[in-house]
Tab-separated table of all heavy atoms in Angstrom:
chain	number	residue	atom	x	y	z
A	281	MET	N	24.033	19.328	9.472
A	281	MET	CA	23.434	19.918	10.686
A	281	MET	C	21.895	19.897	10.503
A	281	MET	O	21.417	20.327	9.560
A	281	MET	CB	23.957	21.292	10.789
A	281	MET	CG	23.487	22.017	12.070
A	281	MET	SD	24.200	23.621	12.198
A	281	MET	CE	23.002	24.455	13.197
A	282	THR	N	21.247	19.481	11.543
A	282	THR	CA	19.827	19.393	11.545
A	282	THR	C	19.226	20.776	11.980
A	282	THR	O	19.710	21.320	12.992
A	282	THR	CB	19.338	18.270	12.477
A	282	THR	OG1	19.955	17.061	12.204
A	282	THR	CG2	17.763	18.075	12.376
A	283	LYS	N	18.280	21.166	11.258
A	283	LYS	CA	17.574	22.415	11.609
A	283	LYS	C	16.317	22.027	12.389
A	283	LYS	O	15.504	21.263	11.861
A	283	LYS	CB	17.200	23.199	10.385
A	283	LYS	CG	16.457	24.506	10.691
A	283	LYS	CD	16.117	25.209	9.302
A	283	LYS	CE	15.297	26.478	9.662
A	283	LYS	NZ	14.000	26.156	10.258
A	284	TYR	N	16.229	22.520	13.569
A	284	TYR	CA	15.089	22.210	14.415
A	284	TYR	C	14.006	23.322	14.178
A	284	TYR	O	14.304	24.479	14.223
A	284	TYR	CB	15.426	22.203	15.896
A	284	TYR	CG	16.234	20.979	16.233
A	284	TYR	CD1	17.626	21.094	16.386
A	284	TYR	CD2	15.660	19.774	16.313
A	284	TYR	CE1	18.378	19.978	16.696
A	284	TYR	CE2	16.463	18.662	16.655
A	284	TYR	CZ	17.778	18.770	16.766
A	284	TYR	OH	18.520	17.595	17.053
A	285	GLU	N	12.789	22.826	13.980
A	285	GLU	CA	11.712	23.787	13.920
A	285	GLU	C	11.303	24.215	15.321
A	285	GLU	O	11.304	23.399	16.228
A	285	GLU	CB	10.466	23.120	13.252
A	285	GLU	CG	10.720	22.610	11.820
A	285	GLU	CD	10.690	23.684	10.904
A	285	GLU	OE1	10.589	24.848	11.229
A	285	GLU	OE2	10.789	23.399	9.626
A	286	THR	N	11.061	25.506	15.453
A	286	THR	CA	10.660	26.004	16.739
A	286	THR	C	9.186	26.586	16.640
A	286	THR	O	8.648	26.684	15.556
A	286	THR	CB	11.579	27.156	17.201
A	286	THR	OG1	11.397	28.245	16.234
A	286	THR	CG2	12.997	26.773	17.262
A	287	LEU	N	8.634	26.755	17.784
A	287	LEU	CA	7.283	27.366	17.802
A	287	LEU	C	7.236	28.705	16.937
A	287	LEU	O	6.333	28.915	16.233
A	287	LEU	CB	6.792	27.625	19.229
A	287	LEU	CG	6.659	26.386	20.099
A	287	LEU	CD1	6.067	26.787	21.431
A	287	LEU	CD2	5.757	25.294	19.463
A	288	ARG	N	8.226	29.469	17.068
A	288	ARG	CA	8.305	30.688	16.317
A	288	ARG	C	8.278	30.460	14.854
A	288	ARG	O	7.621	31.145	14.089
A	288	ARG	CB	9.544	31.537	16.694
A	288	ARG	CG	9.600	32.876	16.062
A	288	ARG	CD	11.007	33.514	16.163
A	288	ARG	NE	11.177	34.097	17.515
A	288	ARG	CZ	12.134	33.797	18.372
A	288	ARG	NH1	13.066	32.870	18.098
A	288	ARG	NH2	12.210	34.375	19.615
A	289	SER	N	9.109	29.466	14.333
A	289	SER	CA	9.130	29.274	12.921
A	289	SER	C	8.010	28.468	12.408
A	289	SER	O	7.686	28.553	11.199
A	289	SER	CB	10.489	28.526	12.567
A	289	SER	OG	10.423	27.248	13.115
A	290	MET	N	7.280	27.721	13.208
A	290	MET	CA	6.252	26.857	12.811
A	290	MET	C	4.889	27.476	12.922
A	290	MET	O	3.881	27.069	12.249
A	290	MET	CB	6.182	25.535	13.597
A	290	MET	CG	7.474	24.647	13.353
A	290	MET	SD	7.428	23.257	14.466
A	290	MET	CE	6.210	22.218	13.658
A	291	MET	N	4.657	28.455	13.816
A	291	MET	CA	3.321	28.909	14.133
A	291	MET	C	3.173	30.299	13.647
A	291	MET	O	4.054	31.095	13.739
A	291	MET	CB	3.125	28.797	15.656
A	291	MET	CG	3.125	27.404	16.195
A	291	MET	SD	2.691	27.323	17.937
A	291	MET	CE	0.916	27.355	17.842
A	292	SER	N	1.950	30.619	13.158
A	292	SER	CA	1.555	31.996	12.930
A	292	SER	C	0.373	32.296	13.787
A	292	SER	O	0.002	31.431	14.629
A	292	SER	CB	1.229	32.130	11.429
A	292	SER	OG	0.174	31.347	11.054
A	293	TYR	N	-0.133	33.534	13.762
A	293	TYR	CA	-1.067	33.909	14.809
A	293	TYR	C	-2.340	33.105	14.811
A	293	TYR	O	-2.961	33.042	15.853
A	293	TYR	CB	-1.454	35.409	14.572
A	293	TYR	CG	-2.301	35.621	13.311
A	293	TYR	CD1	-3.659	35.717	13.405
A	293	TYR	CD2	-1.741	35.735	12.064
A	293	TYR	CE1	-4.459	35.824	12.328
A	293	TYR	CE2	-2.556	35.919	10.950
A	293	TYR	CZ	-3.901	35.975	11.046
A	293	TYR	OH	-4.628	36.096	9.996
A	294	ASP	N	-2.700	32.457	13.750
A	294	ASP	CA	-3.928	31.661	13.691
A	294	ASP	C	-3.572	30.182	13.755
A	294	ASP	O	-4.512	29.350	13.467
A	294	ASP	CB	-4.725	31.999	12.462
A	294	ASP	CG	-4.043	31.712	11.170
A	294	ASP	OD1	-2.816	31.463	11.199
A	294	ASP	OD2	-4.679	31.789	10.153
A	295	THR	N	-2.345	29.740	13.997
A	295	THR	CA	-1.998	28.370	14.158
A	295	THR	C	-2.440	27.809	15.494
A	295	THR	O	-2.260	28.527	16.513
A	295	THR	CB	-0.523	28.142	13.995
A	295	THR	OG1	-0.104	28.834	12.799
A	295	THR	CG2	-0.138	26.703	13.843
A	296	ILE	N	-2.901	26.577	15.492
A	296	ILE	CA	-3.227	25.927	16.784
A	296	ILE	C	-2.278	24.740	16.988
A	296	ILE	O	-2.166	23.862	16.120
A	296	ILE	CB	-4.715	25.438	16.822
A	296	ILE	CG1	-5.708	26.562	16.522
A	296	ILE	CG2	-5.023	24.679	18.086
A	296	ILE	CD1	-5.776	27.550	17.651
A	297	LEU	N	-1.662	24.673	18.185
A	297	LEU	CA	-0.860	23.573	18.495
A	297	LEU	C	-1.772	22.519	19.205
A	297	LEU	O	-2.475	22.914	20.123
A	297	LEU	CB	0.212	24.004	19.522
A	297	LEU	CG	1.103	22.951	20.108
A	297	LEU	CD1	2.263	22.640	19.124
A	297	LEU	CD2	1.676	23.344	21.417
A	298	LYS	N	-1.709	21.318	18.683
A	298	LYS	CA	-2.658	20.319	19.189
A	298	LYS	C	-1.888	19.249	19.981
A	298	LYS	O	-0.811	18.884	19.566
A	298	LYS	CB	-3.506	19.718	18.075
A	298	LYS	CG	-4.564	20.650	17.599
A	298	LYS	CD	-4.981	20.344	16.120
A	298	LYS	CE	-3.933	20.854	15.206
A	298	LYS	NZ	-4.325	21.592	14.089
A	299	THR	N	-2.487	18.715	20.993
A	299	THR	CA	-1.881	17.715	21.809
A	299	THR	C	-2.895	16.610	22.076
A	299	THR	O	-4.066	16.859	22.177
A	299	THR	CB	-1.367	18.207	23.217
A	299	THR	OG1	-2.436	18.658	23.948
A	299	THR	CG2	-0.377	19.455	22.944
A	300	LYS	N	-2.368	15.422	22.176
A	300	LYS	CA	-3.315	14.274	22.540
A	300	LYS	C	-2.564	13.307	23.394
A	300	LYS	O	-1.454	12.755	23.062
A	300	LYS	CB	-3.816	13.533	21.381
A	300	LYS	CG	-4.852	12.450	21.738
A	300	LYS	CD	-5.591	11.966	20.497
A	300	LYS	CE	-6.691	10.998	20.974
A	300	LYS	NZ	-7.400	10.495	19.840
A	301	CYS	N	-3.103	13.191	24.603
A	301	CYS	CA	-2.469	12.237	25.613
A	301	CYS	C	-2.979	10.801	25.344
A	301	CYS	O	-4.067	10.617	24.877
A	301	CYS	CB	-2.946	12.769	26.998
A	301	CYS	SG	-2.292	11.726	28.335
A	302	PRO	N	-2.177	9.810	25.779
A	302	PRO	CA	-2.603	8.404	25.680
A	302	PRO	C	-3.940	8.165	26.391
A	302	PRO	O	-4.714	7.244	26.004
A	302	PRO	CB	-1.507	7.612	26.265
A	302	PRO	CG	-0.312	8.528	26.121
A	302	PRO	CD	-0.846	9.921	26.232
A	303	CYS	N	-4.287	8.985	27.410
A	303	CYS	CA	-5.503	8.762	28.170
A	303	CYS	C	-6.745	9.283	27.315
A	303	CYS	O	-7.823	9.087	27.780
A	303	CYS	CB	-5.455	9.437	29.490
A	303	CYS	SG	-5.743	11.222	29.459
A	304	GLY	N	-6.469	9.996	26.250
A	304	GLY	CA	-7.582	10.460	25.348
A	304	GLY	C	-7.807	11.888	25.502
A	304	GLY	O	-8.575	12.458	24.759
A	305	HIS	N	-7.211	12.549	26.497
A	305	HIS	CA	-7.453	13.984	26.647
A	305	HIS	C	-6.693	14.745	25.481
A	305	HIS	O	-5.518	14.432	25.238
A	305	HIS	CB	-6.879	14.472	27.986
A	305	HIS	CG	-7.125	15.890	28.251
A	305	HIS	ND1	-8.373	16.339	28.676
A	305	HIS	CD2	-6.299	16.965	28.268
A	305	HIS	CE1	-8.295	17.636	28.897
A	305	HIS	NE2	-7.012	18.066	28.636
A	306	GLU	N	-7.397	15.665	24.910
A	306	GLU	CA	-6.809	16.540	23.855
A	306	GLU	C	-6.774	17.989	24.347
A	306	GLU	O	-7.610	18.477	25.034
A	306	GLU	CB	-7.739	16.433	22.610
A	306	GLU	CG	-7.681	15.009	22.025
A	306	GLU	CD	-8.549	14.943	20.718
A	306	GLU	OE1	-8.549	15.930	19.978
A	306	GLU	OE2	-9.152	13.959	20.521
A	307	GLY	N	-5.723	18.593	23.922
A	307	GLY	CA	-5.417	19.981	24.239
A	307	GLY	C	-5.242	20.808	23.002
A	307	GLY	O	-4.791	20.265	21.909
A	308	ARG	N	-5.525	22.063	23.060
A	308	ARG	CA	-5.299	23.023	21.895
A	308	ARG	C	-4.709	24.305	22.542
A	308	ARG	O	-5.181	24.805	23.526
A	308	ARG	CB	-6.632	23.375	21.250
A	308	ARG	CG	-7.297	22.194	20.624
A	308	ARG	CD	-8.693	22.530	20.189
A	308	ARG	NE	-8.784	23.503	19.185
A	308	ARG	CZ	-8.727	23.270	17.882
A	308	ARG	NH1	-8.550	22.078	17.379
A	308	ARG	NH2	-8.838	24.286	17.022
A	309	PHE	N	-3.674	24.709	21.920
A	309	PHE	CA	-3.005	25.985	22.349
A	309	PHE	C	-2.883	26.937	21.166
A	309	PHE	O	-2.385	26.545	20.112
A	309	PHE	CB	-1.558	25.706	22.845
A	309	PHE	CG	-1.543	24.732	24.006
A	309	PHE	CD1	-1.464	23.390	23.890
A	309	PHE	CD2	-1.625	25.276	25.339
A	309	PHE	CE1	-1.448	22.537	24.995
A	309	PHE	CE2	-1.580	24.412	26.421
A	309	PHE	CZ	-1.489	23.073	26.278
A	310	SER	N	-3.313	28.127	21.328
A	310	SER	CA	-3.054	29.204	20.371
A	310	SER	C	-1.537	29.490	20.280
A	310	SER	O	-0.785	29.080	21.211
A	310	SER	CB	-3.803	30.436	20.634
A	310	SER	OG	-3.298	31.072	21.869
A	311	GLN	N	-1.092	30.196	19.244
A	311	GLN	CA	0.357	30.553	19.166
A	311	GLN	C	0.706	31.338	20.396
A	311	GLN	O	1.797	31.016	20.963
A	311	GLN	CB	0.550	31.459	17.882
A	311	GLN	CG	1.959	31.877	17.784
A	311	GLN	CD	2.115	33.202	16.981
A	311	GLN	OE1	1.223	34.095	17.084
A	311	GLN	NE2	3.162	33.305	16.213
A	312	ARG	N	-0.091	32.279	20.808
A	312	ARG	CA	0.263	33.070	21.962
A	312	ARG	C	0.396	32.228	23.224
A	312	ARG	O	1.343	32.405	24.003
A	312	ARG	CB	-0.841	34.152	22.149
A	312	ARG	CG	-0.585	35.140	23.180
A	312	ARG	CD	-1.583	36.133	23.200
A	312	ARG	NE	-1.497	36.904	24.454
A	312	ARG	CZ	-2.260	38.040	24.735
A	312	ARG	NH1	-3.232	38.404	23.827
A	312	ARG	NH2	-2.161	38.698	25.862
A	313	ASP	N	-0.603	31.334	23.469
A	313	ASP	CA	-0.558	30.501	24.661
A	313	ASP	C	0.637	29.569	24.598
A	313	ASP	O	1.396	29.374	25.568
A	313	ASP	CB	-1.782	29.649	24.713
A	313	ASP	CG	-3.065	30.542	25.083
A	313	ASP	OD1	-2.858	31.697	25.537
A	313	ASP	OD2	-4.127	29.945	24.909
A	314	ALA	N	0.920	29.014	23.397
A	314	ALA	CA	1.984	28.079	23.291
A	314	ALA	C	3.388	28.727	23.558
A	314	ALA	O	4.279	28.181	24.301
A	314	ALA	CB	2.012	27.392	21.926
A	315	ILE	N	3.527	29.923	23.101
A	315	ILE	CA	4.806	30.643	23.242
A	315	ILE	C	4.904	31.130	24.675
A	315	ILE	O	6.027	31.082	25.211
A	315	ILE	CB	4.957	31.777	22.232
A	315	ILE	CG1	5.240	31.103	20.838
A	315	ILE	CG2	6.039	32.789	22.603
A	315	ILE	CD1	5.371	32.128	19.715
A	316	THR	N	3.873	31.544	25.271
A	316	THR	CA	3.807	31.885	26.644
A	316	THR	C	4.229	30.735	27.578
A	316	THR	O	5.070	30.873	28.455
A	316	THR	CB	2.512	32.463	27.107
A	316	THR	OG1	2.104	33.614	26.306
A	316	THR	CG2	2.474	32.832	28.558
A	317	LEU	N	3.733	29.631	27.273
A	317	LEU	CA	3.961	28.434	28.124
A	317	LEU	C	5.310	27.791	27.850
A	317	LEU	O	6.003	27.406	28.793
A	317	LEU	CB	2.875	27.368	27.885
A	317	LEU	CG	1.525	27.600	28.551
A	317	LEU	CD1	0.529	26.718	27.949
A	317	LEU	CD2	1.659	27.387	30.030
A	318	PHE	N	5.742	27.611	26.653
A	318	PHE	CA	6.894	26.879	26.349
A	318	PHE	C	8.075	27.689	25.764
A	318	PHE	O	9.170	27.174	25.672
A	318	PHE	CB	6.491	25.831	25.238
A	318	PHE	CG	5.357	24.946	25.658
A	318	PHE	CD1	4.120	25.037	25.068
A	318	PHE	CD2	5.524	24.048	26.742
A	318	PHE	CE1	3.078	24.268	25.521
A	318	PHE	CE2	4.427	23.286	27.253
A	318	PHE	CZ	3.225	23.361	26.566
A	319	GLY	N	7.834	28.914	25.340
A	319	GLY	CA	8.895	29.716	24.787
A	319	GLY	C	8.915	29.670	23.267
A	319	GLY	O	8.646	28.575	22.708
A	320	ALA	N	9.305	30.755	22.629
A	320	ALA	CA	9.297	30.806	21.180
A	320	ALA	C	10.312	29.854	20.558
A	320	ALA	O	10.126	29.456	19.356
A	320	ALA	CB	9.495	32.243	20.709
A	321	ASP	N	11.337	29.532	21.298
A	321	ASP	CA	12.439	28.721	20.737
A	321	ASP	C	12.223	27.246	21.056
A	321	ASP	O	13.075	26.379	20.749
A	321	ASP	CB	13.798	29.136	21.243
A	321	ASP	CG	14.146	30.564	20.675
A	321	ASP	OD1	13.849	30.769	19.566
A	321	ASP	OD2	14.754	31.357	21.445
A	322	ALA	N	11.136	26.927	21.649
A	322	ALA	CA	10.835	25.494	21.964
A	322	ALA	C	10.516	24.789	20.737
A	322	ALA	O	9.874	25.244	19.772
A	322	ALA	CB	9.654	25.446	22.987
A	323	THR	N	10.946	23.497	20.655
A	323	THR	CA	10.621	22.643	19.535
A	323	THR	C	9.385	21.746	19.958
A	323	THR	O	9.118	21.670	21.160
A	323	THR	CB	11.845	21.712	19.181
A	323	THR	OG1	12.020	20.880	20.319
A	323	THR	CG2	13.047	22.455	18.873
A	324	PRO	N	8.739	21.138	19.047
A	324	PRO	CA	7.631	20.228	19.424
A	324	PRO	C	8.101	19.170	20.357
A	324	PRO	O	7.380	18.750	21.246
A	324	PRO	CB	7.211	19.646	18.048
A	324	PRO	CG	7.513	20.652	17.047
A	324	PRO	CD	8.846	21.314	17.542
A	325	PHE	N	9.373	18.735	20.266
A	325	PHE	CA	9.914	17.808	21.221
A	325	PHE	C	9.994	18.337	22.588
A	325	PHE	O	9.681	17.645	23.548
A	325	PHE	CB	11.385	17.390	20.762
A	325	PHE	CG	12.054	16.413	21.655
A	325	PHE	CD1	11.666	15.074	21.644
A	325	PHE	CD2	12.967	16.874	22.617
A	325	PHE	CE1	12.307	14.155	22.492
A	325	PHE	CE2	13.550	15.949	23.460
A	325	PHE	CZ	13.187	14.656	23.459
A	326	ASP	N	10.399	19.626	22.714
A	326	ASP	CA	10.375	20.292	24.026
A	326	ASP	C	8.979	20.336	24.599
A	326	ASP	O	8.792	20.162	25.833
A	326	ASP	CB	10.941	21.672	23.915
A	326	ASP	CG	12.389	21.744	23.544
A	326	ASP	OD1	13.137	20.807	23.923
A	326	ASP	OD2	12.766	22.682	22.907
A	327	VAL	N	8.055	20.678	23.761
A	327	VAL	CA	6.667	20.816	24.225
A	327	VAL	C	6.201	19.489	24.776
A	327	VAL	O	5.595	19.375	25.821
A	327	VAL	CB	5.784	21.299	23.086
A	327	VAL	CG1	4.241	21.222	23.519
A	327	VAL	CG2	6.071	22.710	22.685
A	328	ARG	N	6.479	18.421	23.981
A	328	ARG	CA	6.002	17.072	24.413
A	328	ARG	C	6.724	16.699	25.761
A	328	ARG	O	6.004	16.117	26.627
A	328	ARG	CB	6.479	16.096	23.309
A	328	ARG	CG	6.105	14.677	23.733
A	328	ARG	CD	6.466	13.643	22.705
A	328	ARG	NE	6.222	12.341	23.221
A	328	ARG	CZ	6.079	11.275	22.538
A	328	ARG	NH1	6.129	11.293	21.219
A	328	ARG	NH2	5.798	10.078	23.087
A	329	ARG	N	7.949	17.073	25.889
A	329	ARG	CA	8.679	16.613	27.066
A	329	ARG	C	8.156	17.343	28.324
A	329	ARG	O	8.150	16.819	29.414
A	329	ARG	CB	10.181	17.000	26.887
A	329	ARG	CG	11.121	16.423	27.876
A	329	ARG	CD	12.562	16.489	27.358
A	329	ARG	NE	12.904	17.793	26.779
A	329	ARG	CZ	13.241	18.849	27.503
A	329	ARG	NH1	13.313	18.787	28.828
A	329	ARG	NH2	13.503	20.014	26.963
A	330	ARG	N	7.693	18.626	28.121
A	330	ARG	CA	7.326	19.406	29.271
A	330	ARG	C	5.804	19.343	29.566
A	330	ARG	O	5.377	19.796	30.584
A	330	ARG	CB	7.710	20.810	28.995
A	330	ARG	CG	9.224	20.991	28.989
A	330	ARG	CD	9.709	22.336	28.509
A	330	ARG	NE	9.042	23.456	29.257
A	330	ARG	CZ	9.209	24.723	28.987
A	330	ARG	NH1	9.872	25.060	27.953
A	330	ARG	NH2	8.590	25.618	29.746
A	331	LEU	N	5.062	18.894	28.564
A	331	LEU	CA	3.599	18.949	28.762
A	331	LEU	C	3.073	18.018	29.796
A	331	LEU	O	3.437	16.785	29.747
A	331	LEU	CB	2.985	18.607	27.355
A	331	LEU	CG	1.552	18.947	27.184
A	331	LEU	CD1	1.340	20.475	27.108
A	331	LEU	CD2	1.068	18.342	25.792
A	332	ARG	N	2.243	18.553	30.632
A	332	ARG	CA	1.615	17.621	31.652
A	332	ARG	C	0.165	17.590	31.359
A	332	ARG	O	-0.519	18.606	31.166
A	332	ARG	CB	1.836	18.170	33.064
A	332	ARG	CG	1.124	17.369	34.101
A	332	ARG	CD	1.019	18.125	35.474
A	332	ARG	NE	2.323	18.284	36.032
A	332	ARG	CZ	2.852	17.417	36.942
A	332	ARG	NH1	2.187	16.384	37.306
A	332	ARG	NH2	4.008	17.661	37.399
A	333	CYS	N	-0.461	16.448	31.219
A	333	CYS	CA	-1.847	16.288	30.962
A	333	CYS	C	-2.653	16.776	32.115
A	333	CYS	O	-2.337	16.500	33.264
A	333	CYS	CB	-2.171	14.826	30.716
A	333	CYS	SG	-3.884	14.547	30.378
A	334	SER	N	-3.664	17.650	31.779
A	334	SER	CA	-4.504	18.239	32.858
A	334	SER	C	-5.473	17.196	33.406
A	334	SER	O	-6.133	17.426	34.393
A	334	SER	CB	-5.191	19.452	32.382
A	334	SER	OG	-6.014	19.158	31.309
A	335	LYS	N	-5.603	16.074	32.726
A	335	LYS	CA	-6.576	15.075	33.179
A	335	LYS	C	-5.866	13.940	33.991
A	335	LYS	O	-6.271	13.670	35.096
A	335	LYS	CB	-7.258	14.519	31.952
A	335	LYS	CG	-8.434	13.605	32.351
A	335	LYS	CD	-9.175	13.187	31.057
A	335	LYS	CE	-10.256	12.218	31.285
A	335	LYS	NZ	-10.807	11.660	30.032
A	336	CYS	N	-4.868	13.311	33.380
A	336	CYS	CA	-4.280	12.192	34.098
A	336	CYS	C	-2.853	12.483	34.654
A	336	CYS	O	-2.291	11.731	35.324
A	336	CYS	CB	-4.152	11.022	33.088
A	336	CYS	SG	-2.913	11.221	31.858
A	337	HIS	N	-2.379	13.736	34.372
A	337	HIS	CA	-1.151	14.238	34.909
A	337	HIS	C	0.136	13.494	34.522
A	337	HIS	O	1.184	13.689	35.169
A	337	HIS	CB	-1.239	14.309	36.495
A	337	HIS	CG	-2.408	15.007	36.963
A	337	HIS	ND1	-2.626	16.369	36.733
A	337	HIS	CD2	-3.545	14.577	37.613
A	337	HIS	CE1	-3.837	16.739	37.268
A	337	HIS	NE2	-4.383	15.635	37.809
A	338	GLN	N	0.050	12.732	33.452
A	338	GLN	CA	1.288	12.174	32.884
A	338	GLN	C	2.048	13.251	32.267
A	338	GLN	O	1.529	14.176	31.615
A	338	GLN	CB	0.964	11.176	31.872
A	338	GLN	CG	0.382	9.828	32.406
A	338	GLN	CD	0.320	8.774	31.351
A	338	GLN	OE1	1.179	7.950	31.150
A	338	GLN	NE2	-0.767	8.856	30.534
A	339	VAL	N	3.428	13.242	32.311
A	339	VAL	CA	4.310	14.187	31.696
A	339	VAL	C	5.030	13.452	30.524
A	339	VAL	O	5.554	12.358	30.695
A	339	VAL	CB	5.274	14.751	32.709
A	339	VAL	CG1	6.222	15.722	31.994
A	339	VAL	CG2	4.498	15.460	33.746
A	340	GLY	N	5.147	14.122	29.363
A	340	GLY	CA	6.019	13.641	28.337
A	340	GLY	C	5.414	12.473	27.428
A	340	GLY	O	6.111	11.870	26.771
A	341	LYS	N	4.113	12.296	27.598
A	341	LYS	CA	3.499	11.194	26.892
A	341	LYS	C	2.621	11.669	25.695
A	341	LYS	O	2.320	10.794	24.852
A	341	LYS	CB	2.609	10.333	27.859
A	341	LYS	CG	3.408	9.614	28.906
A	341	LYS	CD	4.194	8.535	28.397
A	341	LYS	CE	4.666	7.430	29.413
A	341	LYS	NZ	5.064	8.018	30.667
A	342	ALA	N	2.293	12.887	25.654
A	342	ALA	CA	1.208	13.308	24.675
A	342	ALA	C	1.873	13.445	23.258
A	342	ALA	O	3.064	13.715	23.188
A	342	ALA	CB	0.668	14.605	25.118
A	343	GLU	N	1.058	13.213	22.314
A	343	GLU	CA	1.435	13.497	20.860
A	343	GLU	C	1.244	15.000	20.785
A	343	GLU	O	0.307	15.568	21.257
A	343	GLU	CB	0.593	12.760	19.873
A	343	GLU	CG	0.817	11.318	19.840
A	343	GLU	CD	-0.181	10.772	18.825
A	343	GLU	OE1	-0.103	11.106	17.600
A	343	GLU	OE2	-0.938	9.918	19.237
A	344	VAL	N	2.182	15.627	20.007
A	344	VAL	CA	2.139	17.055	19.769
A	344	VAL	C	2.232	17.279	18.246
A	344	VAL	O	3.131	16.761	17.612
A	344	VAL	CB	3.253	17.834	20.471
A	344	VAL	CG1	3.290	19.254	20.162
A	344	VAL	CG2	3.178	17.616	21.965
A	345	TRP	N	1.307	18.063	17.713
A	345	TRP	CA	1.446	18.418	16.340
A	345	TRP	C	0.856	19.822	16.038
A	345	TRP	O	0.089	20.348	16.866
A	345	TRP	CB	0.867	17.321	15.418
A	345	TRP	CG	-0.659	17.242	15.418
A	345	TRP	CD1	-1.469	17.788	14.497
A	345	TRP	CD2	-1.413	16.584	16.362
A	345	TRP	NE1	-2.804	17.495	14.852
A	345	TRP	CE2	-2.820	16.758	15.954
A	345	TRP	CE3	-1.202	15.891	17.562
A	345	TRP	CZ2	-3.839	16.207	16.663
A	345	TRP	CZ3	-2.324	15.341	18.254
A	345	TRP	CH2	-3.576	15.480	17.820
A	346	ILE	N	1.189	20.356	14.877
A	346	ILE	CA	0.712	21.688	14.513
A	346	ILE	C	0.000	21.579	13.241
A	346	ILE	O	0.436	20.963	12.284
A	346	ILE	CB	1.871	22.709	14.480
A	346	ILE	CG1	2.428	22.936	15.823
A	346	ILE	CG2	1.453	23.950	13.787
A	346	ILE	CD1	3.685	23.751	15.912
B	436	ZN	ZN1	-3.759	12.267	29.938
């Protein structure tokens, strides 16, 4: 059984979730912002799938890492 990492398990109060879209736009989310937007049980895959670039408006294309 695969254990999925969630925002809750991966992030602490000073962790920054970083995103980078193919268009070059980069985003940064604090733990609080990331959990508010995506939910504490979201995985990085969920974040990637749901993230919409604020610059080019593509969905599901950005790289996501912590
Ligand atoms: Zn973009």
